[in-house]
Amino acid sequence: MTLDLVVRGPRVLTPGGFAACEVGVRAGAVVAVEPLGARLEASRVIDLEDDEVLLPGLVDTHVHVNEPGRTAWEGFASATRAAAAGGVTTIVDMPLNSIPPTVDVAALALKRDAARAQATVDVAFWGGAVPGNLADLRPLHDAGVLGFKCFLIDSGVPEFGHLDAPGLDAVMRELARFDGLLLVHAEDPDAVAQAPAPHGRRYVDFLRSRPPEAETRAIELVIETARRTGARAHVLHLSSADALPLIARARAEGVRLTAETCPHYLTLTAEDVPDGATAYKCCPPIRDAANRDRLWQGLLDGTIDAIVSDHSPSTPDLKALDTGDFGAAWGGVASLQLGLLAVWTEARRRGIGLERVVGWMSSGPARLVGMARKGAVAVGHDADLVVLAPDEGVVVDPGALLHKNPVTPYAGRTLAGRVRRTLLRGEDVPGTGPTGAPRGHLLGRGDA
């Protein structure tokens, strides 16, 4: 067997767990996984150091790249470099906050044109479901989007409207016709309207403005509509653990429902947010430590399927860093480069193994979107590989982050792990290894 690359190491994460292995790569795919000592040969060989492990590349299905239109916030070049530096080899771009949003085939073509020459990791795309674009959903599906995102509350940008209950029903009925997937930002607008308005520097005041009931009510609506229509639904960025029993019960009853959460909900707590620290602001919000514990339990018992970043950056002025006003600040946490390390740090503290973390951040998201070639170091999969030193500590320096506006709530924190090398289809991603200059592929539904 002629191989292009062999990676050898005492700790390779295979679908069966960590093992001492040699991984053989040919034409960008894993073609052999043999016990260490098998003496696979290739023109290139990587021998892992004793403190390194080999992991499958992460799949982040919730990334706001914002290009075109709001490229000052983020862009494909900066976002994909940051992804690779964090061990992420595949991202799925959200349909907002770009201008135009990805709500029709013409807008999808603009997104793909913007990404094509800049992506250093693989990129796929979500479409949007908004008032008035029901007739565009099937054409977007046929053009390759992986599914559709909607909001049940104001999205924060005027060009991406939110669905009311009849609109949600109409969209789910349409998607059920071709088994499309609907992603839902699930917060109830009436519950938020009845809460105190966010204002000022105190985080507790902002937290009260987005109560847990807002998520619970919205998720109840999603469940009822999915049950009635037979459509597939996915709850985005679950923040409130109060909704976990609803999700578990609905799934047990056969409702086609999945859910994700994010690193910031698993690693940060409301108690730790300093007043005026608007880098922590996101919607739904970071809640208290007891809620965080329950989210971890939801992962462990399988109620939550995946951990993804919801990387939602903006320019520093929009984060109101100068005033610290939570009411005025843009709501979004930028963590694309730091997600693996942040989650691993907290998981290790809780006695949870790295293999579970990678399952939630790689194979879990890949399974959600049907990427059969992603998410595992296994024969037949793309050779998207990450070399991680899991015991090395890293102090987060915002100046070392590669996304365009390095505002982060993790600044100054010590995180466990360092990504030393990222490979996409067996080639080093620029800036993360000594050789090669691979380009990411643009993926459609069923391409990976």
Side-chain angles (χ1 to χ4, degrees):
M1 182 184 296
T2 302
L3 299 173
D4 303 321
L5 169 69
V6 171
V7 184
R8 303 180 182 129
R11 290 186 291 169
V12 175
L13 183 55
T14 72
F18 280 105
C21 290
E22 300 184 5
V23 180
V25 176
R26 184 175 61 226
V30 176
V31 295
V33 180
E34 300 291 342
L36 191 63
R39 299 182 182 275
L40 296 179
E41 295 184 358
S43 55
R44 296 172 55 222
V45 176
I46 298 173
D47 289 304
L48 299 187
E49 301 293 335
D50 290 342
D51 66 338
E52 294 177 338
V53 300
L54 186 70
L55 309 175
L58 304 190
V59 178
D60 192 335
T61 56
H62 196 145
V63 180
H64 293 270
V65 178
N66 304 338
E67 186 176 9
R70 290 191 175 95
T71 312
W73 295 18
E74 189 62 282
F76 285 103
S78 51
T80 57
R81 284 196 302 268
V88 178
T89 52
T90 303
I91 66 169
V92 188
D93 172 65
M94 280 292 166
L96 72 162
N97 301 299
S98 56
I99 301 175
T102 315
V103 295
D104 55 37
V105 172
L108 174 63
L110 290 174
K111 274 284 187 87
R112 293 177 67 88
D113 286 345
R116 186 169 287 110
Q118 301 188 74
T120 55
V121 301
D122 286 354
V123 179
F125 302 89
W126 297 113
V130 298
N133 84 324
L134 199 65
D136 293 296
L137 301 182
R138 183 59 188 260
L140 277 166
H141 174 84
D142 292 343
V145 301
L146 304 190
F148 302 88
K149 179 179 185 177
C150 73
F151 279 73
L152 301 183
I153 194 170
D154 183 6
S155 72
V157 291
E159 67 277 358
F160 199 93
H162 67 281
L163 301 178
D164 57 14
L168 179 68
D169 184 87
V171 166
M172 282 201 179
R173 290 186 184 280
E174 175 65 14
L175 296 189
R177 293 189 177 99
F178 52 88
D179 200 31
L181 174 65
L182 185 65
L183 287 67
V184 186
H185 180 123
E187 289 183 282
D188 179 77
D190 291 336
V192 171
Q194 292 162 10
H199 65 282
R201 295 174 52 85
R202 296 205 317 156
Y203 184 74
V204 66
D205 292 332
F206 169 66
L207 189 59
R208 289 172 182 149
S209 75
R210 313 293 285 221
E213 309 88 79
E215 287 188 80
T216 301
R217 289 188 202 173
I219 291 170
E220 287 173 339
L221 175 62
V222 172
I223 290 169
E224 292 165 6
T225 311
R227 180 184 287 115
R228 184 170 60 249
T229 62
R232 291 190 293 149
H234 177 72
V235 176
L236 295 167
H237 45 51
L238 182 67
S239 155
S240 171
D242 289 355
L244 289 170
L246 297 174
I247 295 169
R249 185 164 56 250
R251 289 164 65 136
E253 294 168 353
V255 177
R256 303 171 74 195
L257 186 69
T258 50
E260 69 184 37
T261 192
C262 304
H264 39 281
Y265 301 133
L266 298 168
T267 64
L268 306 174
T269 67
E271 294 91 333
D272 295 334
V273 179
D275 288 343
T278 52
Y280 290 80
K281 180 182 176 180
C282 54
C283 297
I286 295 162
R287 303 192 188 276
D288 61 36
N291 181 85
R292 179 180 66 172
D293 291 342
R294 293 162 63 204
L295 289 177
W296 276 101
Q297 185 56 47
L299 284 162
L300 292 169
D301 67 25
T303 305
I304 300 173
D305 301 89
I307 304 171
V308 294
S309 68
D310 189 11
H311 178 72
S312 185
S314 69
T315 53
D317 59 302
L318 292 177
K319 290 298 284 185
L321 299 176
D322 53 345
T323 65
D325 186 342
F326 280 98
W330 173 259
V333 171
S335 64
L336 182 56
Q337 187 171 336
L338 299 172
L340 173 59
L341 305 190
V343 175
W344 168 230
T345 301
E346 183 64 21
R348 188 166 73 163
R349 188 180 73 83
R350 293 170 179 268
I352 298 169
L354 181 57
E355 67 278 5
R356 299 295 302 273
V357 170
V358 175
W360 294 320
M361 302 186 78
S362 184
S363 58
R367 188 164 48 250
L368 170 70
V369 296
M371 290 184 174
R373 295 176 58 87
K374 304 294 188 183
V377 181
V379 173
H381 282 62
D382 289 343
D384 298 346
L385 307 170
V386 175
V387 177
L388 178 76
D391 300 322
E392 183 174 348
V394 174
V395 178
V396 177
D397 173 10
L401 299 178
L402 299 181
H403 60 265
K404 186 166 288 186
N405 294 288
V407 177
T408 173
Y410 296 100
R413 290 176 179 261
T414 299
L415 302 180
R418 181 183 292 274
V419 173
R420 291 186 177 166
R421 195 167 191 169
T422 301
L423 298 98
L424 184 68
R425 284 180 291 278
E427 297 290 341
D428 285 292
V429 176
T432 69
T435 63
R439 290 294 182 186
H441 291 183
L442 303 188
L443 306 178
R445 199 182 58 264
D447 284 346

